[in-house]
């Protein structure tokens, strides 16, 4: 979608009020309804269960007010984006949230995130209802987040025939131009020399691999580096995936989309940090010059890597990128990757796994996830499992020697290339919503981007 079309009406707009209601407050809300409205509520049998809607007419039969049930907001399973359901329930018109019942900033974000439509190839069939910005929230901040998410979703949803490494570069350059960031791109012979694993994974494609490097912010500010996996399509290489395994491989660049989305939020918020964004971007294709199982490759760090499986390519390109990131000795490195099916098996599609050795950082991550409504779950970096990556002919193998602990061994592989950085945070994402939920339409998703923005706001407030 065009993110500039994702907007809020002015707070002063004449709009139909929406009252979001927790069952515990229903009696007090019902008491202030007019006799006609109470009769209408009784006739329609409305109760404030989650997702229930009541459209109250005025004396002329036109819509005057909306009642919307939240369900029990104290329940563990309560979805704080429930208000996002309204986008698909309400008729076209102009609306505003009333005070009470719901956090207005969260409800507004839920509305905007639910309004996202990917319309590049097929027009949306109907116009959506519009929302006026609540007067009591920072509407610009909410819009920045929603638009950054929409931009990232657009990248993940774009099919690979229209999104290659060059298009990832174009998105990064547009972001750099918008915020006055510096950007450089390494490709060709220089890439082969400086980032040999990135080159090896991407060399079989007709679309050349590259490494994108963006920097923003004062040179003397705390340094934070984001690294995003940008595999625009993953055939599995010579260890080719079955056809069913390729259907969603356009989303294998979801880590780069999440990193770009988080960077957009950070720069838009003006946080007091020196932000660096590194994206190794490739297509893992099949040709006569493709890298092979059994090959031994020397990484940028100097370590040799035996290729146990060409379908474990994401960790290879991240390895070279992490080596580059660590050389600057940043305060914090965060990498984003659609890395392992094992993480999905353990936690499902909605709950990304994360890894860090820093317990204080983990506590901050958990809190940021709750605050941003962007949940994650910590898995252990169990050091003894590193032996599963042993190789008899190289420093390490790119896959473990068995079927166990795939997400952990992948994270341990990455740690070998950022071993001097204690504050290293690795996110293993799915990057896709299998079905539509409030605030999370089916399709591409930039999981953990909002969390990272919230985390960095806490750690490095705006100057």
């Amino acid at each position: 979608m065009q993110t500039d079309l994702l907007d809020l009406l002015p707070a002063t707009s004449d709009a139909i009020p929406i009252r979001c209601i927790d069952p515990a407050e229903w009696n007090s809300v019902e008491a202030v309804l007019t006799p006609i409205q109470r009769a209408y509520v009784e006739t329609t049998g409305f109760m404030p269960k989650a997702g229930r809607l009541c459209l109250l007419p005025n004396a002329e039969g036109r819509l005057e007010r909306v009642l919307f049930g939240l369900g029990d907001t104290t329940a563990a399973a309560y979805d704080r984006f429930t208000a996002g359901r309204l986008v698909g329930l309400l008729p076209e018109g102009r609306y505003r949230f009333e005070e009470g019942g719901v956090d207005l900033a969260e409800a507004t974000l839920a509305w905007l995130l639910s309004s996202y439509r990917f319309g590049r190839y097929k027009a949306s069939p109907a116009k959506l209802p519009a929302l006026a910005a609540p007067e009591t929230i920072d509407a610009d901040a909410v819009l920045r987040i929603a638009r950054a998410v929409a931009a990232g979703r657009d990248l993940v949803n774009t099919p690979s025939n229209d999104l290659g490494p060059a298009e990832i570069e174009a998105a990064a350059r547009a972001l750099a131009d918008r915020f006055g960031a510096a950007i450089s791109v390494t490709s060709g012979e220089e890439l082969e020399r400086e980032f040999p694993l990135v080159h090896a994974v991407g060399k079989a494609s007709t679309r050349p691999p590259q490494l994108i490097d963006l920097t923003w912010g004062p040179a003397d500010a705390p340094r934070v580096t984001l690294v995003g996996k940008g595999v625009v399509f993953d055939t599995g290489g010579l260890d080719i995936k079955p056809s069913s395994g390729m259907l969603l491989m356009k989303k294998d660049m979801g880590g780069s989309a999440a990193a770009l989305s988080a960077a957009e939020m950070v720069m838009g918020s003006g946080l007091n940090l020196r932000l660096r964004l590194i994206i190794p971007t490739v297509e893992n294709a099949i040709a006569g010059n493709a890298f092979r199982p059994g090959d031994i490759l020397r990484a940028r760090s100097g370590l040799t890597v035996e290729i146990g499986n060409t379908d474990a390519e994401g960790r290879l390109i991240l390895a070279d990128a992490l080596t580059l990131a660590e050389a600057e000795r940043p305060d914090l490195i965060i990498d984003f990757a659609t890395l392992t099916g094992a993480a999905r098996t353990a936690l499902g599609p909605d709950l990304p796994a994360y890894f860090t050795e820093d317990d204080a950082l983990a506590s901050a991550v958990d809190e940021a996830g709750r605050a941003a409504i962007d949940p994650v779950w910590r898995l252990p970096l169990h050091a003894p499992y590193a032996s599963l990556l042993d190789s008899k002919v190289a420093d390490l193998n790119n896959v473990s020697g068995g079927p166990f602990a795939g997400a952990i061994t992948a994270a341990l592989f990455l740690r070998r290339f950022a071993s001097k950085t204690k504050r290293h945070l690795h996110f293993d994402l799915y990057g896709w919503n299998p079905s539509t939920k409030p605030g999370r339409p089916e399709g591409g998703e930039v999981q953990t981007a909002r969390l990272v923005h919230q985390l960095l706001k806490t750690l490095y407030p705006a100057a």
Side-chain angles (χ1 to χ4, degrees):
M1 70 178 299
Q2 288 182 262
T3 54
D4 58 349
L5 297 181
L6 194 67
D7 210 348
L8 293 169
L9 301 174
T12 56
S13 293
D14 181 23
I16 299 164
I18 301 170
R19 182 59 160 88
C20 297
I21 310 164
D22 183 301
E25 61 176 358
W26 172 230
N27 289 339
S28 61
V29 173
E30 187 178 26
V32 299
L33 299 178
T34 67
I36 292 177
Q37 289 174 338
R38 283 198 296 272
Y40 186 83
V41 166
E42 183 178 346
T43 300
T44 58
F46 172 79
M47 291 297 290
K49 296 179 180 179
R52 291 289 299 275
L53 189 71
C54 184
L55 305 178
L56 295 175
N58 60 18
E60 289 77 36
R62 298 186 182 279
L63 181 56
E64 181 177 55
R65 194 180 188 198
V66 175
L67 304 179
F68 179 70
L70 297 171
D72 183 359
T73 59
T74 65
Y78 171 64
D79 186 345
R80 287 155 57 196
F81 279 163
T82 294
R85 292 190 186 186
L86 286 159
V87 173
L89 296 174
L90 290 172
E92 185 182 349
R94 299 153 68 90
Y95 299 87
R96 63 178 175 84
F97 286 118
E98 289 184 337
E99 295 282 350
V102 70
D103 182 297
L104 294 185
E106 289 182 1
T108 302
L109 180 60
W111 179 292
L112 292 170
L113 294 181
S114 297
S115 298
Y116 172 84
R117 300 291 185 273
F118 182 61
R120 179 169 176 177
Y121 302 93
K122 184 177 181 179
S124 181
K127 292 185 177 180
L128 298 176
L131 183 68
E135 294 181 353
T136 56
I137 72 167
D138 184 345
D140 289 340
V142 175
L143 270 172
R144 280 198 303 269
I145 292 171
R147 288 173 175 171
V149 169
R153 287 173 173 175
D154 277 354
L155 290 172
V156 182
N157 284 324
T158 301
S160 301
N161 60 309
D162 283 333
L163 188 84
E167 286 73 28
I168 297 287
E169 177 192 345
R173 287 193 181 277
L175 199 62
D177 290 345
R178 182 174 158 197
F179 291 102
I183 187 169
S184 63
V185 177
T186 304
S187 59
E189 292 181 359
E190 185 181 3
L191 184 80
E192 183 177 8
R193 182 175 63 254
E194 299 294 333
F195 304 98
L197 296 185
V198 180
H199 174 266
V201 172
K203 67 182 180 180
S205 174
T206 57
R207 298 185 286 185
Q210 54 192 35
L211 184 130
I212 300 160
D213 192 352
L214 178 152
T215 54
W216 170 89
D220 59 350
R223 295 177 180 269
V224 173
T225 299
L226 310 181
V227 179
K229 173 188 169 184
V231 178
V232 297
F233 192 82
D234 181 19
T235 64
L238 293 174
D239 285 306
I240 191 169
K241 294 177 183 288
S243 59
S244 60
M246 288 194 213
L247 287 176
L248 278 182
M249 280 302 98
K250 69 176 184 179
K251 77 173 181 65
D252 211 22
M253 42 61 64
S256 66
L260 283 162
S261 183
E264 180 175 346
M265 295 179 207
V266 166
M267 291 188 285
S269 299
L271 300 189
N272 182 35
L273 53 82
R274 176 71 165 179
L275 181 71
R276 190 177 191 186
L277 172 63
I278 300 173
I279 298 175
T281 177
V282 303
E283 179 176 22
N284 188 18
I286 298 172
N289 64 337
F291 75 122
R292 297 163 288 264
D295 282 358
I296 298 176
L297 307 176
R298 188 174 296 277
R300 177 181 174 88
S301 68
L303 291 174
T304 54
V305 181
E306 181 184 8
I307 304 303
N309 193 308
T310 62
D311 197 19
E313 83 300 330
R315 64 197 70 183
L316 296 174
I317 67 171
L318 288 173
D320 274 355
L322 287 170
T323 300
L324 174 66
E326 185 172 69
E328 196 178 49
R329 297 291 188 267
D331 184 58
L332 173 63
I333 296 176
I334 303 174
D335 75 72
F336 309 76
T338 51
L339 206 62
T340 69
R344 252 34 68 216
T345 299
L347 299 176
D350 299 343
L351 197 61
Y354 81 92
F355 300 81
T356 183
E357 294 172 339
D358 189 320
D359 291 339
L361 178 61
S363 179
V365 167
D366 291 340
E367 180 54 37
R370 286 189 291 269
I373 319 178
D374 201 1
V376 290
W377 197 266
R378 188 185 186 187
L379 292 183
L381 277 164
H382 186 56
Y385 284 169
S387 63
L388 297 174
L389 295 168
D390 287 349
S391 167
K392 295 179 180 179
V393 291
D395 292 321
L396 73 168
N397 202 297
N398 76 323
V399 292
S400 61
F404 302 120
I408 297 174
T409 55
L412 289 167
F413 180 92
L414 296 181
R415 281 299 292 152
R416 290 291 298 273
F417 299 90
S419 59
K420 297 174 184 176
T421 304
K422 181 183 179 185
R423 284 163 61 91
H424 171 212
L425 185 57
H426 162 55
F427 288 112
D428 192 333
L429 323 169
Y430 188 55
W432 192 264
N433 296 317
S435 60
T436 295
K437 298 185 177 82
R440 292 145 293 193
E442 181 179 347
E445 188 59 272
V446 285
Q447 291 171 316
T448 72
R450 297 195 319 277
L451 180 158
V452 166
H453 174 236
Q454 179 66 36
L455 174 68
L456 297 182
K457 278 202 306 181
T458 301
L459 297 177
Y460 313 99

